[in-house]
Amino acid sequence: MHELAFAQQILEAVESAAADYPDARVTRVKLKADEYMAIEPASLRFALESIAHDTVMAGAEVEIEEMSSASEDGERPWSGAGLVVEEIELDE
Amino acid sequence: MSKTVKLEQKVHAKGHEIALKLRERFAAKGIYVVNLIGSPGAGKTALLEAAAKHLGARGGVIEGDLATDNDKRRVEKAGMRAYQINTVGACHLDAAMVRDALNEFSLDGIEFLFIENVGNLVCPASFDIGENIKVAVVSTTEGEDKPAKYPKAMKVASAMVVTKIDLLPYITCNVGKMEADVRNIVPGMPVFRVSSTKDEGVKEFIAWLEEQRGSTVAASV
């Protein structure tokens, strides 16, 4: 149920990156999620689809790669290694 | 024409900026903030009642529950000032709820602020609510494999408190396994074995919190 809270921030990141390409449409968004983020891909996709209507991200394919967080991250205690928007693909 | 743009941008759950501001506000007042996460019935409130005996008015509590102000009243009766948030449907507290609570709850005189999250070992682990540390609370009665089953909650925690150790003679629970499992996720994780009702191990937990606060306050000077 925490996926919506992440979806809103993902959309903001994508919108701000896409703002540099005013005539383009986002066709694909690639995310990386730390295994400890407990992100459920289906819930995250549903949350993103629900809020992406009428945005530059509407209809974009969402790719979610789960990565291992075996490495020590310096940001404990208030976050895990995290969720990262890796790249977006635009159709110009 | 298709074009790929690299972002490599870390995304936080909504409320991250509010949490950063809250942390600054707490630090400015020298308040050390502990976000307690654990399943329903893990003994989070009982731990706070026990902590109240040691901290008294130096401790304050923000309680998060879907409904009722039972926990606020319990903690107040034990001797700490408290404020109750009712999340109604939400399964976790977020930073905005804590910020809003502070409009009605004075931090004056408080050195340790405990925020008791909604009973849930999943969602609260994802949210920064302005705390210095998260502490995972797990009871002997809920199954010794909880740390292994909820690795994210353990990963984001800075310590684990195992509650209800006074019940060990009556149940099957290997606390050593709980410790080994949590340290497999976070090497060297401090673990406190506590009986809140018998006031065992609580003093040690509070002493550890005093140490953490001491080094945090020293670092911010």
Side-chain angles (χ1 to χ4, degrees):
Chain A
M1 196 176 150
H2 53 275
E3 280 83 357
L4 184 58
F6 285 103
Q8 286 165 319
Q9 304 306 101
I10 292 168
L11 177 60
E12 275 180 29
V14 170
E15 281 183 325
S16 109
D20 297 338
Y21 309 90
D23 297 324
R25 195 174 64 85
V26 178
T27 53
R28 194 174 61 90
V29 176
K30 188 177 174 195
L31 308 170
K32 267 185 170 179
D34 182 292
E35 59 183 323
Y36 286 109
M37 291 303 284
I39 292 285
E40 213 280 294
S43 297
L44 184 59
R45 281 204 182 84
F46 178 72
L48 281 167
E49 271 172 32
S50 310
I51 62 171
H53 287 295
D54 304 321
T55 74
V56 70
M57 213 186 126
E61 181 198 335
V62 177
E63 199 180 308
I64 304 168
E65 185 191 336
E66 195 177 85
M67 53 186 182
S68 160
S69 66
S71 62
E72 279 301 297
D73 66 273
E75 280 192 274
R76 265 194 355 111
W78 37 78
S79 74
L83 178 67
V84 173
V85 183
E86 173 110 315
E87 60 182 36
I88 62 173
E89 201 171 275
L90 300 131
D91 210 354
E92 290 182 290
Chain B
M1 257 263 296
S2 152
K3 179 180 180 57
T4 303
V5 179
K6 285 262 176 214
L7 259 70
E8 299 284 359
Q9 185 177 337
K10 183 163 176 166
V11 180
H12 298 275
K14 196 164 174 280
H16 180 66
E17 289 76 16
I18 300 172
L20 295 178
K21 286 206 187 97
L22 280 174
R23 194 151 34 247
E24 278 173 23
R25 190 168 156 189
F26 293 133
K29 286 176 169 278
I31 299 171
Y32 195 71
V33 183
V34 180
N35 179 359
L36 287 184
I37 57 179
S39 45
K44 297 181 295 297
T45 312
L47 178 65
L48 292 176
E49 288 174 311
K53 288 187 198 129
H54 298 267
L55 287 170
R58 296 171 61 213
V61 179
I62 293 177
E63 287 285 350
D65 281 293
L66 269 68
T68 82
D69 65 348
N70 293 356
D71 287 0
K72 168 188 185 279
R73 287 189 282 120
R74 278 175 61 183
V75 167
E76 280 176 342
K77 200 175 166 196
M80 291 197 285
R81 284 198 298 118
Y83 181 85
Q84 181 78 50
I85 296 173
N86 281 145
T87 60
V88 189
C91 52
H92 58 268
L93 294 176
D94 65 32
M97 295 179 199
V98 174
R99 179 197 58 198
D100 294 347
L102 294 181
N103 291 334
E104 296 174 45
F105 184 68
S106 163
L107 295 169
D108 292 348
I110 290 175
E111 294 173 22
F112 292 90
L113 178 67
F114 297 94
I115 306 179
E116 182 183 338
N117 223 306
V118 179
N120 175 351
L121 269 174
V122 186
C123 304
S126 293
F127 291 85
D128 180 356
I129 52 177
E131 74 273 7
N132 290 100
I133 53 166
K134 289 184 172 75
V135 170
V137 180
V138 183
S139 64
T140 56
T141 52
E142 65 192 275
E144 65 194 23
D145 58 355
K146 282 297 170 294
K149 279 183 171 172
Y150 295 90
K152 182 174 184 195
M154 303 303 133
K155 177 86 176 172
V156 299
S158 297
M160 179 171 83
V161 175
V162 180
T163 60
K164 310 187 192 182
I165 54 158
D166 51 308
L167 300 179
L168 283 172
Y170 314 106
I171 55 175
T172 306
C173 175
N174 182 346
V175 182
K177 182 178 172 1
M178 289 172 126
E179 287 190 358
D181 283 350
V182 79
R183 287 183 179 143
N184 191 31
I185 298 161
V186 183
M189 172 85 107
V191 176
F192 299 91
R193 300 182 180 202
V194 163
S195 165
S196 301
T197 52
K198 304 264 190 292
D199 197 17
E200 282 171 35
V202 180
K203 195 173 68 185
E204 288 75 8
F205 175 53
I206 299 294
W208 181 80
L209 289 179
E210 297 267 17
E211 254 176 56
Q212 304 306 306
R213 177 174 180 266
S215 50
T216 305
V217 170
S220 66
V221 170

